Every structure is written in C-alpha cells, then in structure tokens.
Amino acid sequence: MSDGKLPKLTEIPAFTEYIAQGWDSPARTPDLVPGAAEAAAAHRALLAGALPGRTAVVSAGRAPTRSNDTAYDFRVDSDFSWLTGCAVENAVAVVRDGAATVYLPPPARPGETGFFADAAYGELWVGPSPSLAEWAAALGVEVAPLADYPGPPGDALPAEELGRTLAELRMIKDEWEVAQLRAAVDRTVEGFAAVLAEVPAAVAGGGERWLQGTFDRHARTYGNGPGYASIVGSGAHAPTLHWVRCDGPVREGELLLLDLGVETRSHYTADVTRTFPVSGAFTAVQRQVHDLVERAHRAGMAQVAPGRPFTAFHHAAMEVIARGLDDWGLLPVSVDEALSDAGQHHRRYLICGIGHHLGLDVHDCARSRPEAYHGAEMAPGMVLTVEPGLYFHAHDRTVPPELRGIGVRIEDDLLVTADGAEVLSAALPIDATGLENWTKETSK
Ligand code: GLY
Ligand code: MN
C-alpha cells in the first residue's frame, strides 16, 4: 500500500547492497587535449617567474543555478584552465613556484551511496569519472581530495593582483596556444560554410535563429561550443552590436551579419565576422557601406606588427571611417575635429573599439592594466581581432533614409609574428562576392 511517499533508496539496506555490486570497470582516463598538461606546466613556470615565492589560488568555478537543482552548462574558469589544463567543476588549485596541488571532488563510485544518490558526482548521474590518481598522472601535478583543501593560505596573492598578472601573462600565446587558436579559427571558417548553406532554409522561414542554431550545433560538434553567444543579425538587426536574440526573419535583399566563434575543447575561441547580402548581390548602397568598412579593415590590419602601438589599428581604421563619413556628409564637424579626443562624432556609428585580444576568452586579458593593454606595443605571439564596422540604426534620424537599417562589420583574427602579422581567418573571403563563390567551392 502506498502512503503517498516514495521509498528512500539510501535507507534500504537490500537496495544499497544490491546496487553496490556487479559493475565492470569502465574507461576512466581523463580526456585531456594533447599537450594541455605540458602547456599548463609552462604557464605555471611563467607565473613563477613573474611572482617568485608567491602563492596563487585559482578556482575552476561552478555552473550557475538555472532553477532548483538544475544548472546552466559549466565552463571552466580561464585562468584555472591556463594554469592546470584541467576543467573539473568546483576544483581548486594552489600554485607556487611552478608546482601545483589541484583539489578535486572525488567521483562517487559503486559501493558509495553517492554513486546513485549524488547528482553532482555520482557516476550513475554524470558518467564514469577519473580517480584522483588518474588525474594526477594526466596533469603531472599533485592531486588531493577537495575535502582536504585547507582554504587559501595566509600569504595567497590578492585576487585582483593575481587576475591582473595572469591577464598580462596570457597576452603572449605560446606555440601550443597558437595551434589551439588556429584550430578554433579553422573550425569557425567551416562553421561559416555550414551556416551559409542554410541561408535558403532561413529565408524559407527558419530566420536568424535557424542560422544561430546551425552554427551552435557545428561549434558543439567540432569544439566545446560557441565561444560567446553567436550573433546573427539580418536587415535592421545587423546594426545592433550584440544581436544575440536572433528572433527575426532573414529576407532576400537584406544584409546578414554573422559574428561567430568556435571554442575548442581546450577552451580557446575564434571571433570572426562577415556581412553579406542574403540574395548574393549587394544593392548599391549596401556595397558603398561594405566598401568603406572593408577599406577601414584593411587599413587596420596593415598596422598589426610587432613594435607598433596596440592602438595603431584602432586609429588607422577610425580615420578611414571618419573620412568616409565626411565624404558622405554625415559628420556635423570637420574630420580633424571628429578625430580629436574632444570630438569623436564618427563614433555615433561605431561605438565599440576596433579590436581586442583573443584567447581563452573572446575578450582576452581584459583585466590587464591599461598601460599593458591599450598602452602597450604589439609583440610576437599576441592574437587579436580587427573588427571595424558601421552601424546605421533604422531609427537614427541623422542618416539619410537609404542608409537606415544597414549594419556592416568585418572581423578577422590575427597573430602577431616576428616581422608582421598572419591573418588566421584569411581562408574566409572578406568580400561578399568572393564569399558566394567560396561557398559554392567549399560545398562542392
Ligand atoms: N564578437 C563579439 C565581440 O567581440 O564582442
Ligand atoms: Mn570581437
């Protein structure tokens, strides 16, 4: 007879004895990206060089709760990943002079109540999980149970100082990181092909969300997922910088802005943008805007080289934009006045910066000191984006009606080399005509 209650399995000896037995040992080797542990060791050595004798405590973090006992997807903290190569939720690492102790929540295996009763760590809930010894062997560090973590030592670096130091160390990518970023960009370029192939389905009714879903599925299949919320803006949505709502239609005759990045399983992301006409051919005014942004983009990219100020590409691209807007009669002041620190009128149509560091985070190294970021010179090993655009909102009365509702951004990912720069995303044509041909080529 039921009294309206469910039996508590943990309190039934017959059940707990029965479920403890009869299990084979499944594969439990940590699934690390090759080279991740070695790269993390090199990163710890960099930190030791920057802050010898100091103790750093970093946490892997935990997924935010969505509701009740369900959570959003877990994504490891970037500093933790950089220093350990590990991506286990709730883990904590204590790092000092190149050595690390990683405190991990132990998996709950057959014979333990948690095996079936713990939704966070029980293998029946989350799948077979490596033991601490297997993690220690894979990561090349000491590993201890999370329950043994004594808390941060008294001499632990303050979070702000540590965050700043790591952000600045992470600016120069090593060979392994560059390989990860190349892979992120390559998978992203393939993702553009997958999305472009679905444009007819988007026009037929799927809309922006069909294309967003197409890219996200691609990113999840060939990487960890999208490195940031995928932006798909068609028509009057294109001028909205971060149009991630993606709830609009895709119509013939409109421009379609795609800002997409695959994050690899090692957590490095690409960040690439193209804007192209849905029908395959620009109208005259769309071409005019795209041409100006393309000129700004090429002027910006030409500035990327070691020894140049980090802001050089920003200023070069902004100057092209300001002059172009002036040619179109869209500046209320002279170009010089607009370009001066006291003006900046052109920024009404380009409110964001022209680019940023790229790496484990899409806006990488953001906690650096200003003098180490915008105030620094470019150096070999830096990876950054150049992404000028023009954004004429449909409700902006300062632009002529034919320009309203047009948004164009072009974004590439560049590696600063010893003598210049390599455009990692060069396989994706900038120009929409080329993009159309490229799609045909790649889908053959
Ligand atoms: N691609 C997104 C951003 O740079 O903000
Ligand atoms: Mn970007």
Side-chain angles (χ1 to χ4, degrees), residues 269-289:
T269 192
D271 180 8
V272 179
T273 307
R274 293 291 185 267
T275 310
F276 72 99
V278 173
S279 319
F282 284 120
T283 64
V285 72
Q286 289 168 349
R287 166 60 78 187
Q288 176 190 335
V289 178

Side-chain angles (χ1 to χ4, degrees), residues 146-430:
L146 187 58
D148 290 358
Y149 174 55
D155 64 347
L157 280 153
E160 201 185 314
E161 186 183 356
L162 177 61
R164 187 175 67 231
T165 304
L166 291 172
E168 293 176 14
L169 289 174
R170 280 170 44 190
M171 254 180 209
I172 306 291
K173 275 65 184 179
D174 58 34
E175 256 179 56
W176 182 81
E177 293 184 287
V178 170
Q180 301 309 305
L181 283 160
R182 269 185 208 289
V185 172
D186 290 349
R187 298 295 84 75
T188 299
V189 170
E190 291 158 10
F192 269 84
V195 169
L196 291 173
E198 292 297 318
V199 168
V203 173
E208 294 166 345
R209 233 169 242 196
W210 184 261
L211 302 181
Q212 187 187 42
T214 299
F215 186 79
D216 291 356
R217 172 167 52 86
H218 173 90
R220 187 79 178 136
T221 304
Y222 300 106
N224 198 41
Y228 51 91
S230 301
I231 299 167
V232 178
S234 193
H237 291 158
T240 300
L241 293 170
H242 288 173
W243 182 255
V244 298
R245 237 185 283 164
C246 300
D247 59 359
V250 174
R251 295 193 194 92
E252 298 282 359
E254 292 182 335
L255 284 182
L256 180 59
L257 185 154
L258 301 171
D259 183 339
L260 307 168
V262 171
E263 180 184 84
T264 58
R265 296 211 161 111
S266 52
H267 307 105
Y268 287 81
T269 192
D271 180 8
V272 179
T273 307
R274 293 291 185 267
T275 310
F276 72 99
V278 173
S279 319
F282 284 120
T283 64
V285 72
Q286 289 168 349
R287 166 60 78 187
Q288 176 190 335
V289 178
H290 193 278
D291 276 356
L292 178 53
V293 174
E294 183 173 340
R295 276 200 286 127
H297 187 56
R298 293 190 189 280
M301 290 201 299
Q303 293 294 320
V304 178
R308 303 278 304 134
F310 185 81
T311 48
F313 63 83
H314 173 94
H315 291 308
M318 283 298 182
E319 182 167 347
V320 172
I321 292 287
R323 292 195 186 285
L325 290 172
D326 186 49
D327 290 344
W328 299 347
L330 281 180
L331 288 186
V333 296
S334 70
V335 173
D336 287 346
E337 210 176 325
L339 286 170
S340 75
D341 285 351
Q344 300 291 306
H345 297 72
H346 55 291
R347 298 289 300 274
R348 178 182 179 111
Y349 311 113
L350 172 46
I351 200 72
C352 58
I354 298 287
H356 50 85
H357 281 278
L358 187 67
L360 283 163
D361 297 314
V362 61
H363 297 162
D364 213 38
C365 313
R367 281 182 291 169
S368 308
R369 289 164 302 152
E371 59 268 37
Y373 196 114
H374 290 111
E377 290 181 351
M378 288 180 260
M382 286 183 177
V383 176
L384 50 90
T385 74
V386 176
E387 53 171 314
L390 274 171
Y391 308 100
F392 300 122
H393 287 272
H395 54 297
D396 188 338
R397 292 199 311 266
T398 67
V399 292
E402 66 273 18
L403 283 178
R404 291 183 196 168
I406 290 183
V408 171
R409 172 160 69 255
I410 305 170
E411 178 173 31
D412 278 292
D413 302 343
L414 288 87
L415 167 68
V416 182
T417 59
D419 53 4
E422 179 187 344
V423 183
L424 300 177
S425 42
L428 190 58
I430 290 177

